[in-house]
Amino acid sequence: MSLLRGLLVASLCSGHWAFAVDAKRMWLPKKYASAKPKLLAAARDAENTERCQTVVAGEMIVRKNTAENYYFVITCRDANRKTYNLSYQYPVVGNVPDLIAEQRSKEAQKKNKTVVIEEIGVSGEQALQLCFNAFNKATDGLDDVQVLEQPSPAALAYSYNYSLPFTAQSELGNDVLYSAHCQVEKEGETQLDVVLEEAGAVAICRDSLRAEAILYGRIKIDSEAINPLPVATANTFRIELPFDVKNRIGSIIRYGSLCTIDAEGDSEVAIELLAPGALAICMDGLLTETLLMKSVEIAEQASAQSVDGNVFNFEIPFKANDPEGNQRNFKAYCRVDEEGEADISKAIDKDAIVAVCIGEVKRKTKKMKSVVILEDEIPELLGGEESGYVAIIPFDASNPAGKALHYQADCRVGGNGRSTIKLGARRR
């Protein structure tokens, strides 16, 4: 027991506890499942480096794979419990992982070093330090800068051209992705350009949208529908970000937004109501408008819709009972302006009037003989939506002696669906 305790103490004092790599934290696409042992080997190599205290996760970056090498990223936690990444190339045929980049700590990133240039020119290691010096100066105004990968000095070409991907925090604390492109001449002259990446532009636009839409309440951005649009000017972005807002009665209202980022990095967001959102507003308004009607059944979709500038127009069919309990077909006409205000009117469905009146004629004449409704001779409806409609329904019947009689029914259907019918002789 004393020997075991001594070994335990010695391990703790060494400052690097030997954690076993958890295979469940290693991720590979299914088609690359056979590369799992190599990913685990890269994770074990990372765990054995001086800085890594614990391997947190590991994954394959498929887009960076080549025919010769897999590309793995291992995430470690250091002694300060800060996570960082190590990037590996692992030969498809071979068993030795190659560490090509290690994400530097924030403290190391900010340190500038003086570079003494010899007559023969800068070395790869000096060129890298010159780039980091320029990088620190260029990113001084950004918050919480974190370099994601750094090139290995041995991998630098004689021209010393390379890129540094990094993130900086937005005003709302979200990571914004940039790249710093650096070029170092043999004499040590250094040029560095910081470029906002598309993913970083999306992050900025998401923040700008949340600030712009604060009066809408809590919004939910549809991440899968975010759509970067093509632009003709370099370092500018136009990005569509649809989002949803849940209103006070729980309906989801759909909005669209267009975020523009200019070359200086300034963003502007324009918000507009989308047709699905306008329809949801109409549906809510129609529920209120039909609150006093009986047995209301509203269609899930509009039967017609149109857009006039920023104004939406919908025609929505629904059913309800008239005062006598008869089910009638109605239509609601809804207009939604750019502010999301809805104006709704409703009326009996004109197309259903004739069918209602024919049914009333059949009910009224069920004791008459040989009734034949002359549907082909029914004239155009009279009246209008608010006052209701009048339909003239011609029909023939027979008296007890079999003589043909000619009638017509004057059928009036009010705006609330109530119908009245009056039978009389028809002039031929």
Side-chain angles (χ1 to χ4, degrees), residues 16-26 39-48 52-58 74-77:
H16 192 85
W17 179 256
F19 287 92
V21 174
D22 187 351
K24 294 180 181 179
R25 296 187 175 185
M26 303 293 110
L39 177 58
L40 288 169
R44 283 190 287 269
D45 185 86
E47 189 179 46
N48 289 329
C52 182
Q53 298 295 301
T54 309
V55 170
V56 176
I74 308 300
T75 302
C76 276
R77 183 177 289 117

Side-chain angles (χ1 to χ4, degrees), residues 206 221-228 239-243 254 257:
R206 291 175 73 104
I221 299 173
D222 187 347
S223 298
E224 294 184 358
I226 292 176
N227 181 34
I239 301 171
E240 293 177 330
L241 300 95
F243 67 95
R254 186 76 160 185
S257 69

Side-chain angles (χ1 to χ4, degrees), residues 34 82 142 146 150 156 196-197 219 222 225 251 290 303-304 311 334 349 371 385 413:
S34 60
K82 301 294 184 180
L142 298 176
Q146 183 81 4
Q150 67 179 72
L156 289 174
L196 176 65
E197 298 289 344
I219 70 171
D222 187 347
S251 297
T290 59
S303 55
V311 176
C334 178
D349 186 354
V371 175
E385 294 179 355
V413 180

